[in-house]
Amino acid sequence: MNAAPVPAYTPEELDRQYNARATVEDVTPYLDEYARGSALARASVPSVLGIPYGEHPDETLDVFPGERPDSPVFVFIHGGYWRALSKDDSSFMAPAFIQAGATVVAINYTLAPHATLEQIVQQCRRAIGWIAREIRRYNGNPGHIHVSGSSAGGHLVGMLLTDDWQTQLGLPIDVIKSASPISGLFELEPLINTHINAWARLDRAAAHRLSPMRHLPAHGCPLVVSYGSSETAEFARQSDAYLAAWQARGFPGRYVPMPDTNHFNVIMALAKPDSPLTQAIFETMGLRPQAA
């Protein structure tokens, strides 16, 4: 599928549009909040940490088992523009989702530039393969997997929703039953001429291969899309265009507005059971919103 046209920006403005850190005064407090919230989650609910899903040392994940067998599985993929953060910053939502009836998984992957974006996508797909095969051991239902991610993690969610990889890993084509990309990137060609390409290392062919907008599946699942209210026009456009393309194919999808949030704190809403974003995901997963 062809991507939605990008507005005519000067090179300097295009770079600003994709500079997420420039949209806040200081990103450090938000990154610290991810780490503190995730450490608190590891201390407050049962967890099994650092489980290998592949051969590379970075190919690990953390599992927070549900309280009951056959719990729906919430999988989170961190952002950081593919070059920062880890699973250790990515489990702050575990207590809220476990209380609502889920098993929670936080995925780790090798950061750019030590891995290409193509390799990172393959790692996340292998992680889903592990989850589908092994999650019953942690009270998870492999037939009820929801994937979520923020920013670069939202892009990786989009690449998991394509339908050109599951059979290679022996998985059903509908292994992912629902998804929630947050502040995601779905068309990568605009990044080629920005500072992000210093570590993304994209040429036009790679950008096309790795753009979820260009690889919409034949059969879609329920989708929840959201982004911060103070995002740049390009980040908002990318999510809006992806959701519109998803719905145009007849797939179920909804946008959840998150007032008074930015690119970095919108995902902290996942730690709050009563936030509109969390409630929408609970509903999509068939969890118990009243457990909040």
Side-chain angles (χ1 to χ4, degrees):
M1 172 175 180
N2 292 328
V6 180
Y9 294 112
T10 66
E12 294 77 16
E13 178 58 24
L14 184 66
D15 202 70
R16 283 193 293 272
Q17 285 290 323
Y18 286 102
N19 189 344
R21 291 191 175 212
T23 63
V24 296
E25 183 174 341
D26 181 7
V27 72
T28 304
Y30 303 109
L31 304 186
D32 289 346
E33 188 177 9
Y34 300 167
R36 285 196 308 270
S38 296
L40 180 61
R42 291 191 293 272
S44 61
V45 294
S47 60
V48 185
L49 307 177
I51 305 171
Y53 65 81
E55 297 181 358
H56 193 282
D58 294 331
E59 294 179 358
T60 59
L61 46 77
D62 293 345
V63 178
F64 299 80
E67 296 174 345
R68 298 177 181 82
D70 283 333
S71 299
V73 182
F74 179 85
V75 179
F76 188 76
I77 307 174
H78 70 82
Y81 251 141
W82 306 286
R83 69 164 182 165
L85 304 176
S86 75
K87 66 176 179 57
D88 298 342
D89 309 291
S90 306
S91 52
F92 45 82
M93 77 297 294
F97 276 77
I98 288 171
Q99 184 182 18
T103 287
V104 175
V105 182
I107 292 176
N108 205 62
Y109 55 84
T110 302
L111 301 177
H114 303 292
T116 65
L117 268 59
E118 207 134 22
Q119 290 169 328
I120 293 169
V121 168
Q122 293 303 322
Q123 288 181 321
C124 291
R125 290 171 173 175
R126 285 197 292 275
I128 296 299
W130 184 96
I131 292 165
R133 291 188 299 270
E134 305 292 341
I135 203 64
R136 282 199 187 279
R137 297 165 54 193
Y138 306 93
N139 283 349
N141 181 350
H144 199 156
I145 296 173
H146 178 103
V147 293
S148 183
S150 171
S151 193
H155 161 261
L156 295 169
V157 169
M159 291 304 294
L160 292 174
L161 295 177
T162 66
D163 56 9
D164 58 352
W165 62 274
Q166 295 88 344
T167 55
Q168 299 172 25
L169 297 181
L171 303 174
I173 197 73
D174 63 344
V175 62
I176 294 170
K177 293 300 192 293
S178 57
S180 53
I182 302 162
S183 302
L185 293 158
F186 306 99
E187 171 55 59
L188 300 192
E189 187 171 354
L191 301 184
I192 293 174
N193 295 315
T194 69
H195 69 284
I196 293 98
N197 215 28
W199 60 86
R201 298 180 294 179
L202 296 166
D203 58 23
R204 193 176 184 209
H208 290 188
R209 285 196 308 274
L210 294 165
S211 290
M213 179 69 89
R214 297 176 181 270
H215 303 284
L216 293 171
H219 302 283
C221 63
L223 195 71
V224 174
V225 172
S226 189
Y227 49 83
S229 58
S230 67
E231 301 271 12
T232 66
E234 272 298 279
F235 268 98
R237 183 191 66 82
Q238 288 242 4
S239 286
D240 291 343
Y242 186 72
L243 178 59
W246 192 264
Q247 293 170 325
R249 289 204 162 198
F251 305 155
R254 60 185 291 196
Y255 164 66
V256 177
M258 290 295 292
D260 303 317
T261 58
N262 60 48
H263 184 84
F264 298 97
N265 66 9
V266 63
I267 57 167
M268 292 308 298
L270 297 177
K272 303 172 183 176
D274 58 349
S275 79
L277 178 56
T278 306
Q279 288 283 303
I281 295 173
F282 282 178
E283 180 182 343
T284 302
M285 293 181 66
L287 296 175
R288 303 185 303 273
Q290 67 272 21

